[in-house]
Amino acid sequence: MKITRKPFGETKDGKKVELFTLSNNNQVSITLMNYGGTVTSVNMPDKNGKVENVICGFDKLDAYTSDKFKADCPYFGAIIGRYGNRIAKGLYKIDGKEYHGAINNGENHLHGGIKGFDKKVWKAETFENKDQVGVNLSCFSPDGEEGYPGNLNVSVRYTLDSKNCFTLHYEADTDKTTVINMTNHTYFNLTGGKKKIFDHELEMPSGKKYTETIDLIPTGKILPVKDTAYDFTSKKKIGKDLPSPDGYDTNFVLDHPKDTLSLATILSESESGRCIKVYTTQPGIQIYSGYYNPEFTIDGVTKFGKYSGVAMETQHFPDSPNHPEFPTTLLKPGEKYSQTTQWKIG
Ligand code: BGC
């Protein structure tokens, strides 16, 4: 096991950013930076031993801090918070008091608002022992930031182990009741970016239901996936029966014991022989097939674009603060927010 850290440039307001490389002895390595807690590459061998990066990301900080990246907001690899996914019109009530979240997606609040956790420079500390290496990231989100109540202390621990398991552990506490729904926004492409993700296969044995939406905002109905395009309870190609030309942007309700790390999805691709298994303690997972993924031209090479990666965002359900019937996203003073997701890279 090995971990290295090196300078990775500065943000436009002069904050220093570092790049961390976590690697094990099975040719698996992960790079991440403390700007946005962003995972910038996941490198793994294919069935012939060829190592390639299987996520959408860049090897330069400027690409992430560019005006184009901010305007197109694909959130490649980033930590999302305080509230991942949408809050309708940014409005919600806590104990009868109305809060107005920053509006940054049509008329809605998305992924923490205008300056979410994806745009913060996190404090970073590394750790290593015989079987694992990792980075502890922490940041502070003041009362009122992006409209949220409460001073929030947040930490995310990323760990790679000798068995090719990458763990993302989120913790937070607050001094006023607030809402929280953290996730990571990595888009996978197991062909190493050579092809679109239509032939990737997805399997979600516990994804038996999904939250119905209109304009991506839940109606409150939770519907069975059976006999619909959303049925991935057995292995199916993502491109096989897209529900619309825009593909999938859907929260699946995971049928597993509360707060227990359980299998959510298996993503595989037969030509490369690569596979990622996602485990989580969260009650839901947003499958977003990347229809709005922008193209980027860097050093004369154009990359990414529509369907260039699939995001598997483990999370609570969208707009939960306005749906008391959904698992709660409230965090109260004295409580500890704690969620874990694992990618088994195989
Ligand atoms: C959302 C999409 C959004 C994308 C990029 C995903 O998590 O579900 O609706 O377009 O993030 O912002």
Side-chain angles (χ1 to χ4, degrees):
M1 303 294 314
K2 196 174 159 201
I3 182 160
T4 60
R5 68 195 288 177
K6 64 171 190 189
F8 198 51
E10 282 183 14
T11 59
K12 289 189 176 153
D13 56 357
K15 294 204 176 88
K16 289 198 173 23
V17 177
E18 286 182 289
L19 185 76
F20 300 84
T21 304
L22 286 52
S23 44
N24 68 16
N25 298 332
N26 315 321
Q27 292 185 293
V28 171
S29 69
I30 291 182
T31 58
L32 58 99
M33 60 174 169
N34 59 331
Y35 176 73
T38 301
V39 180
T40 57
S41 72
V42 172
N43 305 287
M44 68 184 289
D46 69 3
K47 61 185 176 194
N48 300 315
K50 183 170 183 212
V51 176
E52 284 170 311
N53 173 23
V54 297
I55 70 166
C56 297
F58 305 106
D59 58 7
K60 287 188 181 66
L61 176 63
D62 293 358
Y64 292 94
T65 55
S66 67
D67 291 340
K68 174 172 166 54
F69 190 82
K70 282 187 187 154
D72 290 343
C73 11
Y75 299 94
F76 285 175
I79 295 172
I80 304 293
R82 278 186 208 190
Y83 196 94
N85 217 314
R86 290 175 176 80
I87 299 178
K89 300 195 170 79
L91 293 177
Y92 52 98
K93 281 187 180 162
I94 299 176
D95 297 331
K97 183 168 182 312
E98 189 163 69
Y99 291 93
H100 296 246
I103 302 301
N104 63 326
N105 182 255
E107 58 178 11
N108 301 315
H109 179 87
L110 175 72
H111 294 339
I114 297 159
K115 189 177 177 195
F117 293 174
D118 58 295
K119 295 180 191 74
K120 278 181 182 277
V121 176
W122 295 60
K123 193 170 160 245
E125 282 167 17
T126 59
F127 59 89
E128 60 183 301
N129 58 46
K130 193 164 74 57
D131 294 319
Q132 51 185 38
V133 287
V135 185
N136 271 317
L137 297 169
S138 54
C139 77
F140 175 68
S141 169
D143 186 15
E145 187 174 58
E146 301 298 315
Y148 298 108
N151 288 302
L152 193 80
N153 293 300
V154 196
S155 68
V156 177
R157 189 173 69 233
Y158 287 131
T159 313
L160 176 68
D161 72 17
S162 54
K163 298 197 169 115
N164 301 347
C165 199
F166 184 64
T167 305
L168 308 89
H169 180 69
Y170 306 83
E171 285 191 1
D173 58 60
T174 182
D175 62 359
K176 267 188 207 162
T177 304
T178 189
V179 292
I180 184 164
N181 184 25
M182 291 179 67
T183 190
N184 173 282
H185 213 294
T186 293
Y187 297 79
F188 292 92
N189 183 321
L190 302 179
T191 69
K194 290 194 281 293
K195 290 186 176 174
K196 302 285 182 186
I197 46 93
F198 297 116
D199 287 337
H200 280 53
E201 288 168 318
L202 196 62
E203 185 178 354
M204 293 196 281
S206 63
K208 295 178 193 143
K209 294 183 178 161
Y210 69 102
T211 45
E212 182 194 58
T213 55
I214 295 177
D215 296 336
L216 298 168
I217 300 294
T219 61
K221 279 192 193 152
I222 294 184
L223 302 178
V225 297
K226 199 168 167 8
D227 300 327
T228 74
Y230 303 98
D231 192 350
F232 287 96
T233 51
S234 47
K235 190 155 122 173
K236 184 171 82 175
K237 284 192 177 169
I238 293 178
K240 178 160 178 282
D241 37 38
L242 295 177
S244 73
D246 304 6
Y248 293 94
D249 194 359
T250 307
N251 171 62
F252 291 82
V253 174
L254 299 171
D255 182 17
H256 68 203
K258 191 171 178 291
D259 298 332
T260 307
L261 194 67
S262 311
L263 180 66
T265 60
I266 305 172
L267 180 72
S268 57
E269 196 277 322
S270 59
E271 262 180 50
S272 63
R274 293 188 176 112
C275 161
I276 304 274
K277 287 185 183 167
V278 179
Y279 292 74
T280 191
T281 54
Q282 300 258 26
I285 187 165
Q286 184 88 9
I287 299 294
Y288 171 53
S289 52
Y291 182 75
Y292 293 100
N293 243 357
E295 284 187 338
F296 289 91
T297 303
I298 300 214
D299 299 336
V301 182
T302 300
K303 286 169 115 176
F304 312 122
K306 289 185 193 314
Y307 294 104
S308 54
V310 55
M312 303 185 279
E313 302 156 64
T314 54
Q315 55 180 226
H316 274 60
F317 309 167
D319 202 27
S320 293
N322 292 308
H323 288 276
E325 71 279 20
F326 291 171
T328 185
T329 50
L330 286 179
L331 180 71
K332 299 182 180 156
E335 292 178 348
K336 180 160 280 294
Y337 174 81
S338 172
Q339 295 290 345
T340 305
T341 291
Q342 267 181 357
W343 304 339
K344 286 205 172 157
I345 301 167

